[in-house]
Amino acid sequence: MKLTRKLVLAKAKASDLESVKKLNCWGCSLTDISIFSQMANIEVLTLSVNSISSLSPLAGCLSLCELYLRKNMIPSLSELSHLRPLARLRVLWLAENPCCGTDSSTYRLTVLRCLPRLQKLDNQVVTEDEIALALMEGEVVTTPPASLQNQLPTNGLPDAETENDPLNYNMEETNKIREELGMKLLSRDKFPSLTSPSTRETKLSLKKTHALDAVLLLLRDLDEEELRVVHTATQNRLQTYTLDSEMLNESLQAQKTADVQH
């Protein structure tokens, strides 16, 4: 079944598509949701329990904050590539789709690697540790072949090759933030191959780096008030480190004085 303009306006009780902010199409036997290419202002969208297989019409819904897709026919996590441009997306419910597979851990890390701004996935809160781990161990989500046919080459290489590069997406996004903050850009040789074997020690040593990258990626989505909260929290943490350092120095100095006196 195709979701039509008439059906959308009837469900949303709206006069035009541009004014629709919330829409609930739960259990409507939908297969075609191309109408959403005309609904850039939608913020909360419920499409659970349908027969949707492609998410490409949602790529232009830049105001989307919450998306519910439970129990559909989404065949591959590659469909998530269409959600990457949605910088405001914070809640996603994707469970019980064919793309979820049988390995829940790999599935979750892969989704979070592709969409690191999510705050809740499948009704479970996303933690900072999960994001850091996902950037390191989540599988790379590539653009569906059908979408690649309509894209132009990038830097002389087909988008298929660019998307298949495990380091491309997150490294570029991280370096954009680092450049804005005046930080040194990361080179490709600083990103270990995510497919090559690595020891537990290596993974642990990289965890903080990936956590920092995740934080930098998320900073661009915060408004002024939220940035002030981050600033205050950062100052408090720095003060803690300073106090700890001062106490350690005082302790060492006292120990030296005591040794001299003896």
Side-chain angles (χ1 to χ4, degrees):
M1 177 178 174
K2 181 177 182 178
L3 182 62
T4 63
R5 181 177 184 275
K6 182 178 180 180
L7 184 57
V8 169
L9 296 180
K11 281 185 169 293
K13 297 181 180 179
S15 58
D16 57 83
L17 295 177
E18 292 74 17
S19 64
V20 178
K21 300 295 182 66
K22 297 182 179 181
L23 184 65
N24 188 340
C25 293
W26 189 97
C28 293
S29 302
L30 299 177
T31 56
D32 185 338
I33 57 171
S34 56
I35 188 68
F36 290 113
S37 62
Q38 305 173 44
M39 298 177 62
N41 297 324
I42 190 76
E43 296 177 358
V44 180
L45 180 56
T46 300
L47 295 171
S48 297
V49 195
N50 283 290
S51 298
I52 298 166
S53 59
S54 175
L55 301 181
S56 59
L58 301 177
C61 299
L62 302 182
S63 298
L64 197 59
C65 300
E66 300 181 21
L67 177 59
Y68 301 91
L69 293 163
R70 186 176 64 88
K71 286 191 176 181
N72 271 280
M73 299 299 293
I74 299 170
S76 169
L77 290 178
S78 63
E79 289 296 323
L80 294 179
S81 63
H82 299 301
L83 304 183
R84 278 177 176 160
L86 311 186
R88 298 183 181 180
L89 187 63
R90 294 294 178 271
V91 177
L92 175 65
W93 199 329
L94 190 64
E96 299 178 79
N97 273 274
C99 64
C100 299
T102 56
D103 188 339
S104 59
S105 177
T106 299
Y107 152 74
R108 190 171 175 86
L109 292 178
T110 299
V111 174
L112 294 179
R113 178 187 169 109
C114 181
L115 304 171
R117 299 181 181 93
L118 289 180
Q119 295 176 353
K120 184 179 286 189
L121 173 61
D122 295 340
N123 208 33
Q124 293 184 19
V125 174
V126 175
T127 67
E128 293 181 4
D129 286 344
E130 276 189 300
I131 294 295
L133 187 61
L135 292 176
M136 183 168 59
E137 296 187 357
E139 295 180 1
V140 178
V141 171
T142 56
T143 303
S147 299
L148 289 174
Q149 295 175 1
N150 299 320
Q151 296 179 0
L152 297 174
T154 302
N155 296 328
L157 293 174
D159 278 347
E161 294 180 25
T162 303
E163 288 288 350
N164 284 330
D165 184 342
L167 311 180
N168 183 65
Y169 176 70
N170 286 307
M171 186 180 75
E172 288 187 0
E173 289 296 309
T174 300
N175 277 339
K176 286 179 184 177
I177 303 297
R178 286 176 172 265
E179 185 175 13
E180 291 173 4
L181 297 176
M183 298 175 65
K184 183 179 179 180
L185 302 186
L186 297 174
S187 60
R188 294 182 66 83
D189 59 6
K190 298 298 183 183
F191 278 67
S193 172
L194 295 176
T195 57
S196 62
S198 57
T199 64
R200 175 180 174 81
E201 291 75 15
T202 300
K203 290 183 178 181
L204 290 175
S205 67
L206 289 170
K207 183 175 180 180
K208 286 187 177 181
T209 299
H210 287 288
L212 174 61
D213 294 340
V215 171
L216 294 177
L217 283 169
L218 296 172
L219 276 179
R220 65 169 53 186
D221 298 321
L222 302 182
D223 58 26
E224 182 178 358
E225 182 179 352
E226 292 168 334
L227 285 171
R228 291 186 184 279
V229 173
V230 172
H231 179 66
T232 301
T234 303
Q235 284 187 317
N236 291 339
R237 288 294 300 275
L238 286 173
Q239 288 177 358
T240 300
Y241 282 117
T242 301
L243 289 174
D244 289 344
S245 178
E246 291 176 351
M247 291 176 63
L248 178 60
N249 289 334
E250 290 177 0
S251 177
L252 292 173
Q253 187 60 42
Q255 184 62 46
K256 288 181 180 180
T257 302
D259 292 341
V260 170
Q261 291 177 346
H262 286 298

